């Protein structure tokens, strides 16, 4: 913590200083990091039963026989349900984003009935008196499978005559989504632009499959009380979950309460309506008893939705001077076996961001959503926008090489200049504000660019086995999801507003109810800072309530860097209404005209009469007593507000990575990382920096470490954290971070969103840096993640380093020698 | 996850432990620090009938001076190894390799003997024991026997410790003369297992390499000695060129596995690079 103390900008003790801009330590952290909270899995209810899920050990098969008789006989087992048992009532898990009118959605059973389509799909659910009894019984389930051909490779899956994931469908393609700027009138004709171009560069990039790897495993508890149900779930989206679960199960929405208690991370991985949430509801309804399901880490890695997994075909057109003329993007996006909540929308969300910060006159995007026998993909930090940024920032480097230009000069020549904001892009988005040049200049200084370039030259000349490279990435993203009308135009199944309420308690304390449910972001602190400034009350006097649909009646939860931008704005709007209502009371009690009152520092005073005044906390008590208040108004200064932004916000930044590549081993090591982000107004610098650091860690992890690998049979080979490499602090460099501030014009705070920034910008910066280090040795691309082996193979064999080996890992070898045979695929 | 049910015994002496193993039924697992066994049981990849926990066998923990060798008790934790003055003085290579094992939490519970008996080919300590010509003292109900490192590692996850036996201590000979040592580990993230690692122990004499011992981690189902390298180095001039030439032979005769981190040919390449680096450092070049 001393490192924190020493930082500039850490809170002063000056109580009069504004809260916005203070690096407050998070008020929720004491309970979160000392175990003094109740996570979902900590819930214990009288008579509670425990679920364990029997999962498919095969990727694609017909279920020919299910024998659970031995399970029923096992000690402690109360019931066991198969897909057939629940077929009539389980409905389909919802997909809320039909990106095209003719999108094919095969439906997504919570439990497989007659066919399994990915390893780990639920085939039976065991209910027992204890978790151990339920898990012991998993091994007793005897299920016969008749194997079907396994579809894993997207490029093969879209060929005519390919094996089908869903054999009742015509193909493995769920949808074909097109955005053509020429047709939309936001740009010129793309084919013409390419026909006329001096230079065209085409590349194929692979966005590997990633696993969100949140810290707290998913967990669900359902308690039936008569015909009412309460569901506690480790979810990002209690409000959305309530609506969706009601629609899926037929439980009326007003009979279902959903609570997200403190939730330990999500990164998009808990933006989902999970099969197990529905199964818990169905089984609790059948048994009339409370039930709990908590996943194991193995289940989490195998069955919680994954992210990314796209193949990108990118073409850029330019003239010889380096002016970009057109951009063409074609995607294959792996849906996995089913469409979950926003599976098809993730690549579509990126569709508008491929032009990045550059002034492409022509742009065309098309994407095929492809079914495979893998767990579904869905939101993962950045959702569509990291993929877009990667593609454009990688292709700009490739274009620079083709033109023999400095990659920064090429970018500068084509990016939007500060004086051009607001700027409507070729994708039709109105970028709100920013200054790419200033952010870039500051980042170059933070990195020590000139010295590193000189060192790079020296290493090249001396043939040093350790080569040095510098990679650029600029980015912008559409944040603050989102304007509801825009979401409607994209066929998204909900709006993008957010709701807040403020309750003024008799003692002057303040309860803030937010519909933006946190899962680790620090809403309680940031919202308290907002309210402290708005109402002029002490930071400590504010309590933030969230995550329980019985307390927070309206909300759309946390994802897409939307919480502060939309949810925080709703809080500020609600505070404005509190002040407006209190003003009437104050005028009455001070016997003054409303127009003569000014409100500052939490106090109404009569203009020109110093010393008189009434605090808003005193007014709260007065209106609680309600002995004396004006005629014709209600005795309350509580207020609520719903904020629906008119536009997205567009944070941006420049990220620079200096990378050492050991050409003898292929080992890559980040020498230095510098970034300057513009996330608009900063409410809490400590939280912002934490978000940037965490985002960088995840973005760097995509570039260097993480990859979900399936073997040829569709088994997840990276099924533990031994094989799915999540970097720790010791694997990451010091981050030199900075900010420029251009307030977002579209919300009262001026915030743009920071949750995804680091994750979006860092991946291409890291890959560009590695390539810059070895490009003179003939390397033009390296497949992510840049494992030492891939880097070494790219150096020595050419190509991009190739696919990974899919041979058995040590952990699996243990499996073959020591594992008890488990027909049910015990986890 | 929750392990399958098992019987649990916690003896306090080696004799009690051996009796518990004998009485434990068909499938007995010995629990040392539990850093490999417990995860495997939780994943239900192992479901022993009985677990014999050595955590209270105080006599198995600690390091002592035994004249021409130091003796490391099998239940000495990695953390204890790292702070032990005898190891620092006489076998710093053990400490250097131990410092790379997993993370601080694992090193706090994991044990020296447990890591050796587990004999994971990617584990760091077996190759070190091999390079240091350590001896393994194994206790059975009929008495104790000593097995040299070269005969201790039999196969994948398999050692000379037979059913009903226990590893009780490891004797590491004190090295006399001008020795240098180096453990060169290659992995992707700090807490990961070795993809390949090389333990080098080198004695210099009059500008030449008098003797070199090179242990290879994860170059086959067991740790290996790179004998061709050792022979090429014996008596060679202590120059970077001589070391580099010898290190080229590091992968000869090896049959490493292919997995997510590395295919066999890449492992063999790494072995030559890491051997060169380890020997160069150990030789003080």
């Amino acid at each position: 913590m001393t490192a924190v103390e020493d930082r500039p900008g850490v809170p002063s003790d000056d109580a009069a200083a504004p809260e916005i801009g203070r690096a407050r330590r998070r008020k929720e952290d004491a309970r979160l990091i000392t175990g003094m909270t109740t996570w979902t899995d900590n819930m214990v209810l009288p008579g509670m039963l425990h679920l364990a899920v029997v999962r498919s050990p095969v990727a694609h098969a017909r279920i020919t026989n299910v024998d659970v008789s031995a399970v029923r006989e096992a000690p402690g087992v109360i019931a066991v349900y198969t897909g057939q048992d629940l077929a009539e009532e389980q409905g389909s898990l919802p997909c809320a984003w039909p990106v095209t009118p003719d999108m094919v959605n095969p439906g997504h059973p919570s439990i497989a009935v007659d066919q399994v389509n990915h390893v780990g799909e639920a085939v039976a659910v065991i209910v027992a008196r204890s978790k151990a009894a339920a898990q012991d019984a998993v091994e007793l389930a005897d299920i016969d499978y008749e194997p079907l051909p396994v579809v894993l490779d997207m490029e093969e899956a879209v060929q005519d005559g390919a094996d089908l994931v869903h054999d009742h469908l015509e193909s493995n393609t769920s949808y074909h989504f097109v955005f053509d700027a020429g047709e939309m009138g936001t740009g010129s004709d793309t084919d013409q632009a390419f026909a006329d171009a001096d230079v065209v560069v085409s590349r194929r990039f692979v966005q590997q499959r990633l696993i969100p790897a949140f810290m707290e495993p998913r967990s669900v508890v359902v308690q039936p009380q008569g015909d009412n149900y309460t569901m506690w779930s480790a979810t990002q989206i209690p409000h959305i979950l309530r609506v969706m679960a009601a629609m899926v199960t037929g439980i009326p929405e007003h009979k279902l309460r959903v609570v997200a208690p403190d939730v330990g991370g999500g990164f998009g991985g808990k933006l989902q309506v999970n099969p197990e949430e529905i199964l818990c509801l169905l089984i609790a309804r059948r048994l009339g008893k409370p039930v709990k399901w908590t996943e194991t880490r193995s289940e989490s890695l195998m069955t919680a939705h994954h992210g990314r997994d796209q193949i990108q075909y990118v073409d850029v057109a330019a003239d010889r001077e380096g002016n970009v003329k057109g951009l063409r993007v074609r995607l294959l996006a792996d849906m996995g076996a089913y469409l979950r909540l926003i599976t098809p929308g993730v690549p579509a969300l990126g569709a508008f961001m491929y032009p990045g910060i550059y002034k492409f006159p022509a742009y065309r995007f098309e994407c095929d959503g492809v079914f495979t026998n893998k767990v579904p993909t869905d939101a993962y930090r950045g959702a569509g926008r990291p993929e877009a940024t990667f593609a454009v920032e990688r292709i700009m480097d490739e274009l620079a090489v083709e033109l023999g230009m400095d990659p920064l000069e090429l970018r500068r020549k084509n990016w939007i200049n500060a004086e051009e904001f607001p700027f409507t892009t070729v994708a039709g988005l109105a970028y709100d504000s920013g200054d790419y040049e200033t952010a870039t200049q500051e980042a170059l200084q933070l990195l020590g660019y000139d010295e590193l370039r000189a060192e790079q030259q020296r290493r090249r000349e001396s043939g040093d086995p350790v080569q040095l490279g510098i990679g650029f990435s600029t980015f912008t993203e559409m944040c603050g999801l989102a304007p509801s009308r825009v979401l409607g135009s994209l066929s998204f199944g909900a709006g993008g507003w957010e709701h807040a309420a403020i309750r003024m308690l008799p003692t002057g304390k303040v309860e803030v109810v937010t519909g933006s449910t946190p899962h680790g972001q620090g809403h309680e602190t940031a919202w308290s800072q907002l309210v402290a400034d708005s109402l002029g009350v002490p930071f400590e006097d504010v309590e933030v309530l969230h995550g329980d649909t019985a307390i927070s009646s309206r909300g759309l939860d946390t994802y897409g860097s939307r919480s502060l931008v939309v949810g925080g704005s709703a809080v500020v709007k609600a505070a404005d209404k509190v002040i407006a209502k209190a003003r009437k009371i104050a005028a009455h009690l001070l016997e003054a005209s409303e127009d003569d009152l000014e409100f500052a520092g939490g106090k109404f005073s009569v203009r020109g009469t110093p010393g008189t005044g009434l605090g808003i906390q005193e007014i709260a008590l007065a209106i609680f007593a309600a002995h004396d208040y004006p005629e014709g108004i209600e005795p309350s200064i509580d207020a609520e507000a719903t904020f629906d932004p008119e536009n997205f916000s567009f944070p941006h930044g420049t990220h620079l990575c200096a990378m050492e590549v050991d050409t003898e081993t292929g080992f890559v090591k980040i020498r230095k990382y510098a970034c300057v982000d513009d996330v608009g107004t900063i409410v809490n610098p400590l939280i912002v920096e934490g978000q940037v650091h965490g985002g960088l860690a995840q973005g760097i992890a995509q570039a260097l470490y993480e990859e979900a690998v399936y073997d040829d049979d569709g088994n997840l080979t990276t099924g533990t954290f031994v094989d799915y490499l999540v970097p720790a602090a010791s694997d990451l460099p010091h981050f030199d971070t900075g900010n420029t501030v251009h307030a977002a014009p579209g919300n009262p705070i001026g915030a743009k969103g920071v949750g995804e920034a680091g994750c979006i910008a860092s991946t291409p910066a890291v890959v560009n840096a590695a390539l810059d280090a070895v490009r003179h040795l003939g390397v033009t691309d390296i497949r992510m993640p840049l494992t030492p082996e891939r880097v070494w193979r790219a150096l020595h064999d050419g190509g991009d380093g190739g696919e990974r080996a899919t041979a058995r890992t040590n952990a699996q070898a243990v499996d073959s020698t020591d594992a008890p045979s488990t027909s049910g695929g015990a986890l | 996850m929750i392990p399958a049910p098992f019987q649990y015994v916690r003896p306090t002496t080696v004799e009690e432990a051996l009796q518990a193993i004998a009485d434990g039924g068909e499938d007995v697992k010995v629990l040392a620090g539990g850093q490999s066994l417990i995860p495997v049981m939780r994943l239900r990849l192992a479901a022993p009938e009985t677990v014999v926990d050595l955590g209270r066998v105080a006599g198995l923990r600690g390091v002592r001076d035994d004249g021409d060798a130091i003796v490391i008790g099998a239940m000495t934790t990695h953390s204890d190894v790292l702070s032990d003055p005898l190891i620092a003085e006489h076998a710093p290579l053990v400490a250097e390799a131990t410092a790379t094992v997993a993370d601080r939490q694992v090193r706090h519970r994991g044990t020296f003997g447990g890591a050796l008996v587990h004999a994971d080919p990617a584990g760091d300590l077996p190759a070190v024991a091999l390079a240091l010509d350590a001896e393994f003292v194994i206790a059975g109900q009929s008495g104790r026997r000593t097995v040299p490192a070269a005969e201790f590692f039999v196969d994948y996850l398999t050692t000379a410790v037979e059913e009903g036996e226990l590893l009780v201590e490891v004797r590491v000979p004190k090295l006399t003369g001008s020795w240098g040592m180096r453990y060169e580990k290659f992995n992707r993230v700090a807490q990961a297992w070795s993809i390949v690692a090389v333990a080098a122990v080198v004695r210099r004499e009059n500008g030449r390499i008098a003797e070199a011992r090179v242990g290879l981690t994860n170059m086959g189902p067991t740790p290996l000695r790179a004998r061709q390298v050792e022979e090429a180095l014996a008596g060679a001039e202590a120059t970077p060129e001589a070391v580099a030439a010898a290190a080229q032979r590091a992968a000869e005769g090896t049959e490493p596995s292919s997995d997510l981190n590395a295919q066999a040919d890449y492992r063999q390449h790494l072995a030559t690079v890491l051997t060169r680096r380890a020997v160069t450092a150990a030789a003080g070049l």
Side-chain angles (χ1 to χ4, degrees):
Chain A
M1 298 308 279
T2 47
V4 174
E5 307 278 6
D6 294 337
R7 291 150 42 96
V10 169
S12 67
D13 291 330
D14 180 3
E19 282 292 339
I20 291 180
R22 273 197 193 201
R24 281 269 186 197
R25 294 208 197 138
R26 307 195 325 172
K27 53 163 69 174
E28 50 271 74
D29 280 352
R31 74 168 191 275
L32 291 178
I33 66 177
T34 58
M36 300 301 285
T37 187
T38 305
W39 309 101
T40 303
D41 188 50
N42 298 134
M43 299 271 312
V44 177
L45 298 173
M48 187 167 77
L49 301 173
H50 298 262
L51 305 191
V53 180
V54 182
R55 298 188 180 277
S56 172
V58 292
H60 200 200
R62 278 194 187 79
I63 300 171
T64 53
N65 188 44
V66 179
D67 180 357
V68 290
S69 52
V71 177
R72 284 207 175 81
E73 302 303 314
V77 170
I78 301 293
V80 53
Y81 299 99
T82 67
Q84 293 290 352
D85 296 330
L86 299 172
E88 296 301 312
E89 61 192 280
Q90 69 168 323
S92 171
L93 291 169
C95 174
W97 202 337
V99 289
T100 62
D102 58 351
M103 182 186 84
V104 175
N105 180 359
H108 188 344
S110 292
I111 181 168
V113 178
D114 45 27
Q115 182 167 320
V116 290
N117 293 309
H118 66 84
V119 166
E121 195 167 354
V123 290
V125 186
I126 296 166
V127 188
R129 291 193 191 282
S130 71
K131 184 174 177 177
Q135 290 195 328
D136 284 346
V138 166
E139 293 164 20
L140 303 173
D142 189 3
I143 296 154
D144 295 335
Y145 299 95
E146 179 188 310
L148 294 167
V150 178
V151 180
L152 297 171
D153 183 297
M154 281 194 283
E155 285 171 329
E156 289 174 15
V158 295
Q159 302 296 322
D160 288 339
D163 293 325
L164 295 177
V165 174
H166 301 282
D167 55 14
H168 60 285
L169 302 181
E170 287 175 11
S171 77
N172 290 315
T173 302
S174 171
Y175 66 85
H176 183 70
F177 175 95
V178 179
F179 176 86
D180 189 302
E183 290 169 15
M184 295 299 287
T186 54
S188 56
D189 184 82
T190 310
D191 291 340
Q192 194 61 47
F194 276 83
D196 295 344
D198 296 336
V199 176
V200 172
V201 175
S202 300
R203 291 288 184 272
R204 172 183 179 273
F205 300 130
V206 177
Q207 292 282 332
Q208 78 270 33
R209 185 172 270 253
L210 299 174
I211 300 179
F214 33 77
M215 191 179 291
E216 180 204 13
R218 295 173 301 160
S219 182
V220 192
V221 171
V222 173
Q223 181 176 38
Q225 288 166 305
D227 59 355
N228 284 272
Y229 298 86
T230 302
M231 174 192 286
W232 290 264
S233 182
T235 179
Q236 289 176 230
I237 52 161
H239 296 92
I240 296 169
L241 177 57
R242 181 198 197 191
V243 178
M244 294 296 174
M247 297 197 312
V248 171
T249 62
I251 295 170
E253 189 181 353
H254 63 301
K255 299 288 185 185
L256 178 60
R257 170 186 169 205
V258 175
V259 185
D262 281 327
V263 174
F267 310 120
K270 291 174 182 166
L271 202 188
Q272 194 54 270
V273 178
N274 288 297
E276 296 83 3
E277 287 165 332
I278 300 302
L279 292 171
C280 282
L281 265 179
L282 298 180
I283 290 170
R285 179 165 70 181
R286 280 208 178 194
L287 295 176
K289 296 253 188 196
V291 299
K292 182 200 280 184
W293 171 80
T294 300
E295 68 184 350
T296 67
R297 185 62 70 183
S298 305
E299 281 180 299
S300 190
L301 296 177
M302 184 190 288
T303 69
H305 76 243
H306 292 171
R308 310 281 193 293
D309 205 345
Q310 298 174 5
I311 299 172
Q312 307 174 306
Y313 309 89
V314 186
D315 310 318
V316 65
D319 66 20
R320 276 276 156 220
E321 288 69 47
N323 299 298
V324 294
K325 296 296 184 186
L327 181 67
R328 216 161 38 195
V329 176
R330 190 163 65 83
L331 292 189
L332 295 178
D334 194 336
M335 306 285 97
Y338 300 107
L339 303 181
R340 283 195 185 164
L341 192 59
I342 59 167
T343 299
V346 170
L349 195 55
F352 304 91
M353 295 313 304
Y354 279 83
I357 65 168
Y358 307 111
K359 294 182 281 188
F360 285 98
Y363 170 55
R364 179 177 169 85
F365 171 93
E366 45 190 318
C367 171
D368 285 307
V370 182
F371 291 117
T372 62
N373 291 115
K374 301 178 211 164
V375 79
T377 57
D378 207 307
Y380 174 56
R381 202 170 192 171
R385 291 153 293 166
E387 298 93 307
T389 301
F390 182 87
V392 72
E393 290 300 314
R394 281 284 298 109
I395 203 80
M396 289 300 272
D397 261 28
E398 297 298 310
L399 179 61
V401 170
E402 180 70 25
L403 293 169
M405 278 181 79
D406 179 85
L408 177 55
E409 280 316 304
L410 178 67
R411 285 172 168 82
R412 185 175 274 135
K413 194 165 200 151
N414 289 289
W415 71 37
I416 300 156
N417 296 308
E419 61 275 14
E420 294 177 282
F421 287 98
F423 183 92
T424 301
T425 74
V426 71
L429 294 174
Y431 288 3
D432 52 1
S433 67
D435 180 351
Y436 306 139
E437 179 66 44
T438 303
T440 301
Q441 287 301 338
E442 292 190 14
L444 290 168
Q445 289 207 348
L446 275 179
L447 188 77
Y449 179 75
D450 293 337
E451 299 87 73
L452 286 166
R453 274 286 185 229
E455 181 184 334
Q456 176 183 40
Q457 193 57 32
R458 286 198 300 277
R459 285 178 186 261
R460 281 196 187 177
E461 284 165 4
S462 68
D464 195 315
V466 178
Q467 288 291 311
L468 184 66
I470 299 174
F472 289 91
S473 171
T474 64
F475 85 103
T476 188
E477 57 163 329
M478 47 201 280
C479 273
L481 301 179
S484 297
R485 292 184 192 92
V486 176
L487 290 179
S489 71
L490 294 172
S491 308
F492 187 65
W497 48 263
E498 193 48 85
H499 187 74
I502 294 180
R503 304 176 190 155
M504 300 299 294
L505 305 182
T507 58
K509 308 298 185 192
V510 183
E511 283 180 343
V512 177
V513 182
T514 177
S516 173
T517 309
H519 48 284
Q521 290 82 0
H523 290 27
E524 292 174 31
T525 302
W527 279 214
S528 295
Q529 290 180 272
L530 293 175
V531 170
D533 271 4
S534 291
L535 297 184
V537 300
F539 171 82
E540 295 76 14
D541 283 359
V542 183
E543 185 72 16
V544 178
L545 307 176
H546 53 75
D548 181 342
T549 59
I551 294 171
S552 161
S553 58
R554 279 164 61 76
L556 286 168
D557 307 314
T558 290
Y559 42 85
S561 304
R562 72 186 301 273
S563 287
L564 183 63
V565 176
V566 193
S569 295
V571 170
V572 170
K573 295 274 187 188
D576 290 344
K577 290 186 182 176
V578 169
I579 294 164
K581 291 173 90 170
R583 182 180 295 272
K584 291 187 190 302
I585 316 291
H588 175 78
L589 293 174
L590 291 169
E591 298 179 347
S593 158
E594 275 186 59
D595 297 338
D596 291 338
L597 292 184
E598 55 188 23
F599 181 69
K603 202 168 176 184
F604 289 98
S605 50
V606 183
R607 225 172 255 115
T609 321
T612 64
L614 196 56
I616 197 162
Q617 293 180 296
E618 298 170 80
I619 294 172
L621 181 60
I623 206 66
F624 170 72
H627 296 161
D628 183 12
Y629 65 100
E631 296 290 334
I633 65 167
E634 59 178 4
S636 166
I637 59 171
D638 294 355
E640 47 189 283
T642 300
F643 180 71
D644 192 6
E646 298 278 316
N647 187 9
F648 298 98
S649 54
F650 294 91
H652 71 81
T654 299
H655 287 229
L656 301 173
C657 177
M659 175 78 87
E660 290 178 1
V661 179
D662 182 339
T663 58
E664 289 188 318
T665 63
F667 191 81
V668 293
K669 179 174 170 233
I670 295 177
R671 165 78 167 274
K672 197 158 188 202
Y673 195 97
C675 61
V676 173
D677 292 312
D678 194 322
V679 299
T681 304
I682 292 173
V683 172
N684 183 322
L686 203 55
I687 292 179
V688 164
E689 182 142 27
Q691 285 285 353
V692 170
H693 280 221
L696 292 175
Q698 279 181 305
I700 291 169
Q702 175 172 11
L704 299 185
Y705 301 116
E706 297 186 21
E707 181 177 26
V709 181
Y710 284 86
D711 69 13
D712 291 344
D713 297 323
N715 297 301
L716 182 67
T717 313
T718 50
T720 74
F721 283 143
V722 172
D723 293 311
Y724 189 83
L725 285 195
V726 178
S730 49
D731 304 305
L732 296 165
H734 174 79
F735 299 129
D736 291 291
T737 63
N739 291 103
T740 59
V741 177
H742 291 80
N747 66 73
I749 301 168
K752 292 182 172 175
V754 68
E756 296 154 303
C759 190
I760 292 172
S762 54
T763 312
V766 170
V767 175
N768 281 339
L771 288 170
D772 186 55
V774 296
R775 206 181 275 275
H776 66 293
L777 301 172
V779 178
T780 57
D781 195 13
I782 307 171
R783 180 91 63 97
M784 291 192 294
L786 276 56
T787 67
E789 180 171 18
R790 280 195 179 135
V791 175
W792 180 76
R793 288 196 190 281
L795 277 163
H796 292 271
D797 305 344
D800 66 0
E803 300 281 353
R804 274 166 180 254
T806 52
R808 301 169 73 82
T809 64
N810 291 338
Q812 287 179 316
V814 172
D815 190 359
S816 67
T817 51
D818 290 355
S821 63
T822 56
S823 56
L827 287 168
Chain B
M1 207 180 82
I2 300 167
F6 57 88
Q7 298 296 317
Y8 175 78
V9 191
R10 192 168 63 188
T12 57
T13 66
V14 171
E15 290 65 36
E16 284 176 20
L18 290 168
Q19 191 60 49
I21 293 168
D23 297 343
E26 284 287 302
D27 186 2
V28 183
K29 287 281 182 196
V30 174
L31 176 69
Q35 300 306 292
S36 294
L37 179 61
I38 298 294
V40 168
M41 288 173 61
R42 285 166 60 90
L43 289 165
R44 299 207 175 191
L45 299 175
E49 185 177 337
T50 304
V51 170
V52 178
D53 180 357
L54 300 183
R56 295 285 172 93
V57 185
L60 290 178
R61 188 165 175 175
V63 184
R64 67 174 199 275
D65 193 327
D66 192 31
D68 59 351
I70 58 170
V71 181
I72 306 173
M75 285 295 287
T76 308
T77 65
H78 298 310
S79 305
D80 289 348
V81 165
L82 288 174
S83 60
D84 188 86
L86 287 170
I87 290 173
E89 185 181 351
H90 298 294
L93 185 65
V94 172
E96 188 188 347
T98 299
T100 72
V101 172
D103 54 36
R104 201 174 281 272
Q105 289 89 336
V106 168
R107 291 194 294 270
H108 183 68
R109 295 204 71 95
T111 65
F112 183 71
L116 289 165
V117 175
H118 185 52
D120 192 306
D124 297 297
L125 299 176
V128 169
L130 207 55
L132 291 173
D133 282 338
E135 294 179 323
F136 292 74
V137 179
I138 298 168
Q141 284 196 307
S142 55
R144 297 193 172 198
R145 63 194 178 102
T146 300
V147 176
E151 294 167 22
F152 184 75
F153 301 101
V154 174
D155 201 348
Y156 182 77
L157 303 181
T158 308
T159 68
V161 179
E162 301 283 347
E163 271 186 42
E165 291 186 322
L166 267 184
L167 174 70
V168 289
E169 57 195 29
V170 179
R171 298 173 57 85
V172 182
K174 292 179 184 172
L175 298 175
T176 53
S178 180
W179 289 88
M181 307 177 188
R182 177 70 158 209
Y183 189 65
E184 194 73 34
K185 176 166 176 168
F186 191 82
N187 57 6
R188 288 176 58 202
V189 295
Q191 60 188 4
W193 296 89
S194 286
I195 295 172
V196 175
V198 176
V201 188
V202 175
R203 182 163 61 86
R204 282 183 62 173
E205 218 172 68
N206 305 325
R208 291 190 171 267
I209 293 173
E211 184 182 354
R213 301 189 211 143
V214 178
L216 304 176
T217 296
N218 216 9
M219 288 299 291
T222 66
L224 300 171
R225 285 280 284 268
R227 299 285 182 194
Q228 287 85 346
V229 177
E230 295 177 1
E231 284 164 20
L233 285 172
E237 281 186 58
T239 63
E241 295 73 26
V243 170
Q248 280 302 321
R249 308 190 61 184
E252 283 181 17
T254 62
E255 291 182 10
S257 63
S258 290
D259 60 31
L260 283 176
N261 288 313
Q263 293 178 55
D265 63 330
Y266 176 57
R267 277 206 162 85
Q268 291 183 319
H269 166 75
L270 284 177
T272 65
V273 175
L274 300 174
T275 297
R276 190 192 78 225
R277 292 179 182 179
V279 173
T280 301
L285 295 173

